[in-house]
Structures are given as C-alpha cells and as structure tokens.
C-alpha cells in the first residue's frame, strides 16, 4: 500500500511538471524543418544501408521531449519532396545546370522552412577479391561519397559539406561500405553543425 501511494505521488509530480511545459509549448514558435530523404545518385547503393543512414539522421537531429515541448516541427516528407520537384523544375527553366545548393533557399521559401537538410549519396561501391595466399583474408575494396546540403534561415546561410571514405585492405567489418557510409554521414553532419542548428533553436525557445 505504501509503495502504491509513493508511485501515485511520483505520477502526480510528473504531471504537474509537464503541464506547464505543455502550456508554454503552445506559445512557442517551432523550428520548421524540411528534411529530404537520402538522395541516391549511384546505381550500386544498398537499400538497407540507406535506411540506416536515415535512422542515423533521426538520431543526430533528435530533440529530447519534443512531443511535449513542440520545439521542432518536421514538415511531412511527401510535401517536401513535391515542393523540391517544383523548385528543381523552375530552376531548370533558367539554368543549364542546377546544383543541389541552388535549390535549398527556394525550397525553404516555398515551404516556409527555417532549416532545410538534404543528404546526397554520390558513390557507393564494395567488392571483395580472393587472396590466394592461405595466410591472408580476402581483400575488401569499399568506397562511399556523400554530401549534406541545406539552408539555415537564422543565418541566411546555404551550407554544403562533402566527404568520402575508402577501404582497401584485408576483409574487416569496419571496411564494409554500409559502415563507411555512417562514418561519412557522422563527419558531414558534424561539419554542417546539424545537431546545434536544431538544438540552438530548442534552447532559445526554452528561455
């Protein structure tokens, strides 16, 4: 009985703490994020590897307690993709060659987004070669090339970060292209400062 009363008191305390935060959330202006899915621009990309990259981006851009605080609002993916198609179509009418970064600010304007994030997978290769010496493992050759392109309205900044990873050695799980792609994504996300771009707005809204 005593444990039940204690548990009830803890639940009540949590409710009392969350109610003011939920009320305050209604007064805040959430950061509107337009995030495109990984744009695959190579024929040899692994579907599961791309899914893992999407999950990693979720983790990088995660805002704690956003369900309650409503500090960030992610624009639905289908709406972002449709808007991107329209922006690219318009740009191609006046530009012979359209770069990813050319579309970021127009896309942000079209969707009234504060932050646009577009990951691009440019290269993805992996092959093994048998090493005929019994002393050695097969040789693994892997290569990944990526970009993260985006727009940050708070700084009126279009950003573009590029990177690649190679592995050319005896077989090792660390050298698999799927793992190289996550390493490359982590480095580019850090270079683009994605986590802080999202969480700086979150902290500002809590003040």
């Amino acid at each position: 009985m005593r444990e039940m009363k204690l548990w009830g008191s803890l639940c009540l305390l949590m409710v009392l703490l969350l109610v003011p935060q939920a009320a305050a959330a209604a007064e805040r202006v959430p950061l509107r994020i337009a995030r495109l899915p990984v744009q695959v621009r190579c024929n040899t990309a692994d579907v599961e590897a791309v899914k893992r990259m999407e999950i990693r981006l979720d983790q990088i851009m995660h805002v704690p307690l956003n369900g309650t605080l409503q500090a960030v609002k992610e624009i639905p993916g289908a709406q972002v993709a449709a808007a991107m198609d329209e922006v690219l179509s318009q740009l191609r009418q006046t530009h012979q060659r359209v770069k990813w970064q050319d579309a970021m600010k127009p896309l942000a304007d079209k969707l009234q987004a504060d932050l646009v994030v577009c990951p691009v997978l440019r290269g993805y290769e992996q092959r093994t070669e048998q090493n005929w010496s019994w002393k050695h493992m097969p040789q693994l050759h892997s290569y990944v090339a990526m970009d993260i392109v985006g727009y940050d309205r708070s700084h009126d900044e279009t950003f573009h970060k590029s990177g690649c990873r190679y592995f050319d050695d005896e077989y090792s799980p660390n050298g698999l292209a799927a793992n190289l792609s996550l390493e490359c994504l982590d480095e580019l996300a850090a270079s683009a400062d994605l986590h802080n771009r999202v969480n700086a707005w979150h902290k500002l809204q809590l003040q």
Side-chain angles (χ1 to χ4, degrees), residues 126-128 136-142 166-180 183:
Q126 177 178 299
R127 72 180 191 277
T128 55
H136 300 289
M137 296 284 286
Q139 292 290 117
L140 175 62
H141 308 277
S142 303
Y166 296 89
F167 186 89
D168 189 7
D169 207 335
E170 289 188 355
Y171 180 90
S172 166
N174 292 334
L176 295 173
N179 292 329
L180 296 183
E183 288 181 13

Side-chain angles (χ1 to χ4, degrees), residues 34 103-116 151 153:
M104 295 298 101
K105 188 177 188 304
L107 180 62
D109 292 341
K110 191 174 190 66
L111 293 170
Q112 296 183 322
D114 301 297
L115 180 64
V116 176
Y151 176 76
R153 189 176 299 281

Side-chain angles (χ1 to χ4, degrees), residues 8-54:
S9 298
L10 288 172
C11 290
L12 179 60
L13 178 61
M14 290 177 66
V15 170
L16 292 174
L17 288 173
L18 290 175
V19 165
Q21 293 180 5
E27 302 175 1
R28 299 187 187 113
V29 179
L31 177 75
R32 287 175 57 83
I33 296 179
R35 190 179 119 192
L36 287 148
V38 175
Q39 304 295 297
V40 179
R41 293 296 179 265
C42 52
N43 297 325
T44 53
D46 183 271
V47 174
E48 289 303 316
V50 173
K51 288 180 180 178
R52 289 176 62 190
M53 291 166 61
E54 295 283 6

Side-chain angles (χ1 to χ4, degrees), residues 56 60 181-191:
R56 180 61 62 87
I60 291 169
S181 64
L182 294 182
E183 288 181 13
C184 193
L185 178 60
D186 285 343
E187 180 182 287
L188 294 182
S191 181

Side-chain angles (χ1 to χ4, degrees), residues 40-95:
V40 179
R41 293 296 179 265
C42 52
N43 297 325
T44 53
D46 183 271
V47 174
E48 289 303 316
V50 173
K51 288 180 180 178
R52 289 176 62 190
M53 291 166 61
E54 295 283 6
I55 293 171
R56 180 61 62 87
L57 271 173
D58 287 340
Q59 295 167 345
I60 291 169
M61 301 179 67
H62 174 70
V63 173
L65 294 176
N66 189 58
T68 300
L69 300 176
Q70 297 296 303
V72 168
K73 179 179 180 181
E74 191 159 324
I75 301 170
Q79 184 180 348
V80 177
M84 184 64 164
D85 288 341
E86 292 179 17
V87 167
L88 290 174
S89 177
Q90 292 168 359
L91 288 173
R92 284 167 182 152
Q93 292 176 13
T94 55
H95 295 73

